[in-house]
Amino acid sequence: MLGAIIGDIIGSRFEFDETPQDQFTLFMDKPRCDYTDDTVMTIAVGDAILNHRYYRDALHDWGHRYPHPKGAYGGMFAEWLASTDPKPHNSWGNGAAMRVSAVGWLYSDYDAVLREAKNSAICSHMHKEAIKGAQCVATLIYWLRTCRITKEEVENAVKRNFGYDIPPLRDIYKIGSEGHFDASCQETVPWAIRCFLDSNSFEDAIRKAVMVRGDTDTKAAICGSIAEAFYDVPETFYDKACNYLEPDMLDVVQQFCTVLQNEMRE
């Protein structure tokens, strides 16, 4: 879950305001870097699981706590938040995939991961592509953190189970350099996976996701959530990311870390 938050914060300044350059500085002072809706909703899903809340209620609650994050909410999701009785849209947006990482960490059964990833999506994103994107990201996290597949097996496993073709990184860079903005699950998820597959460390994965351009915070959040399940994350990255978060966000992060630490001791 923290991998998604780190990626979101690092990628936040490049979505609209800046063009990433080689060896860009990862963390900048607010407001250039900050958490976006990706972090708010990632925290919301974690809160729902940890505190036995309905996903819809948690997402709605956290969206109202933080109605104006950096970059704002997408149009359809902003409408969903504005409703007093929100109903899901037929949306294939990448928001369902960027917020799902806690599912991959807090459930340890394949069927449960698929079920909860779907449940976390359908309260706002009912399109099959949004559900598939959320399930793919959560499942990859689960597989990698439990060593059920190797990094070399990821591409075939993703194709076999979710039908995604993962394009070469050179093709993704070309599309990004032409100004294309990836807002769909069916683009962003395989692109983020490729950035992970072609990386050699957590930091390298995040850098590749940002350098692709487009929806940099979301791509880096998804890539970071997957990379965290495979690589060691520098402790300084955790510390720096937490400096951007609000006290109630940190409460959920601490609860999440405590649950994982207790599981590791058992």
Side-chain angles (χ1 to χ4, degrees), residues 59-126:
L59 292 168
H60 206 247
D61 172 22
W62 283 89
H64 280 264
R65 293 191 205 188
Y66 298 100
H68 304 294
K70 183 179 176 68
Y73 294 98
M76 291 179 72
F77 192 74
E79 290 180 11
W80 186 88
L81 284 176
S83 173
T84 56
D85 184 23
K87 299 293 192 294
H89 293 104
N90 190 36
S91 172
W92 38 249
N94 54 26
M98 59 77 167
R99 70 194 189 203
V100 77
S101 54
V103 172
W105 284 98
L106 295 174
Y107 290 93
S108 295
D109 173 81
Y110 175 70
D111 291 332
V113 169
L114 288 177
R115 181 190 68 240
E116 294 304 316
K118 179 179 180 179
N119 288 340
S120 75
I122 61 175
C123 54
S124 59
H125 293 62
M126 277 290 289

Side-chain angles (χ1 to χ4, degrees), residues 13-14 18-22 24 207 210-213 216:
R13 82 179 201 262
F14 298 112
E18 300 180 42
T19 300
Q21 306 296 325
D22 287 340
F24 62 87
R207 287 188 179 278
V210 169
M211 291 299 293
V212 171
R213 302 170 67 175
T216 51

Side-chain angles (χ1 to χ4, degrees), residues 6-15 26 33 206 210 216-217 220:
I6 292 167
D8 175 43
I9 291 167
I10 291 173
S12 64
R13 82 179 201 262
F14 298 112
E15 183 174 341
L26 296 173
C33 281
I206 297 294
V210 169
T216 51
D217 60 326

Side-chain angles (χ1 to χ4, degrees), residues 1-250:
M1 188 172 85
L2 281 164
I5 294 170
I6 292 167
D8 175 43
I9 291 167
I10 291 173
S12 64
R13 82 179 201 262
F14 298 112
E15 183 174 341
F16 301 109
D17 302 328
E18 300 180 42
T19 300
Q21 306 296 325
D22 287 340
Q23 297 306 306
F24 62 87
T25 300
L26 296 173
F27 294 95
M28 303 289 286
D29 291 342
K30 292 186 177 187
R32 289 180 71 184
C33 281
D34 207 348
Y35 65 82
T36 78
D37 60 314
D38 298 32
T39 288
V40 178
M41 294 298 110
T42 294
I43 293 286
V45 170
D47 179 31
I49 299 169
L50 291 164
N51 296 300
H52 311 291
R53 305 179 69 187
Y54 290 113
Y55 291 111
R56 189 189 83 153
D57 293 348
L59 292 168
H60 206 247
D61 172 22
W62 283 89
H64 280 264
R65 293 191 205 188
Y66 298 100
H68 304 294
K70 183 179 176 68
Y73 294 98
M76 291 179 72
F77 192 74
E79 290 180 11
W80 186 88
L81 284 176
S83 173
T84 56
D85 184 23
K87 299 293 192 294
H89 293 104
N90 190 36
S91 172
W92 38 249
N94 54 26
M98 59 77 167
R99 70 194 189 203
V100 77
S101 54
V103 172
W105 284 98
L106 295 174
Y107 290 93
S108 295
D109 173 81
Y110 175 70
D111 291 332
V113 169
L114 288 177
R115 181 190 68 240
E116 294 304 316
K118 179 179 180 179
N119 288 340
S120 75
I122 61 175
C123 54
S124 59
H125 293 62
M126 277 290 289
H127 196 283
K128 64 180 182 180
E129 291 292 344
I131 296 167
K132 181 173 75 172
Q135 289 180 321
C136 179
V137 173
T139 300
L140 267 184
I141 293 168
Y142 164 67
W143 280 342
L144 288 167
R145 75 174 180 85
T146 57
C147 302
R148 278 167 168 76
I149 62 172
T150 65
K151 188 179 181 185
E152 291 70 28
E153 294 170 326
V154 164
E155 189 164 357
N156 286 336
V158 165
K159 174 65 174 177
R160 183 171 62 252
N161 288 272
F162 300 100
Y164 285 131
D165 290 310
I166 304 177
L169 193 59
R170 64 178 179 275
D171 293 351
I172 301 172
Y173 275 127
K174 182 176 185 297
I175 295 169
S177 68
E178 294 171 348
H180 178 72
F181 191 89
D182 52 312
S184 69
C185 268
Q186 52 267 44
E187 279 188 332
T188 307
V189 170
W191 289 12
I193 294 170
R194 173 57 68 195
C195 292
F196 162 66
L197 291 177
D198 283 18
S199 68
N200 55 39
S201 67
F202 179 83
E203 178 178 339
D204 187 46
I206 297 294
R207 287 188 179 278
K208 282 181 166 57
V210 169
M211 291 299 293
V212 171
R213 302 170 67 175
D215 195 353
T216 51
D217 60 326
T218 297
K219 202 157 33 259
I222 294 171
C223 182
S225 70
I226 297 167
E228 183 187 24
F230 183 80
Y231 294 120
D232 290 331
V233 180
E235 197 68 33
T236 55
F237 283 29
Y238 289 127
D239 295 340
K240 288 179 179 179
C242 285
N243 287 333
Y244 294 86
L245 302 184
E246 310 297 339
D248 55 353
M249 297 178 180
L250 290 171

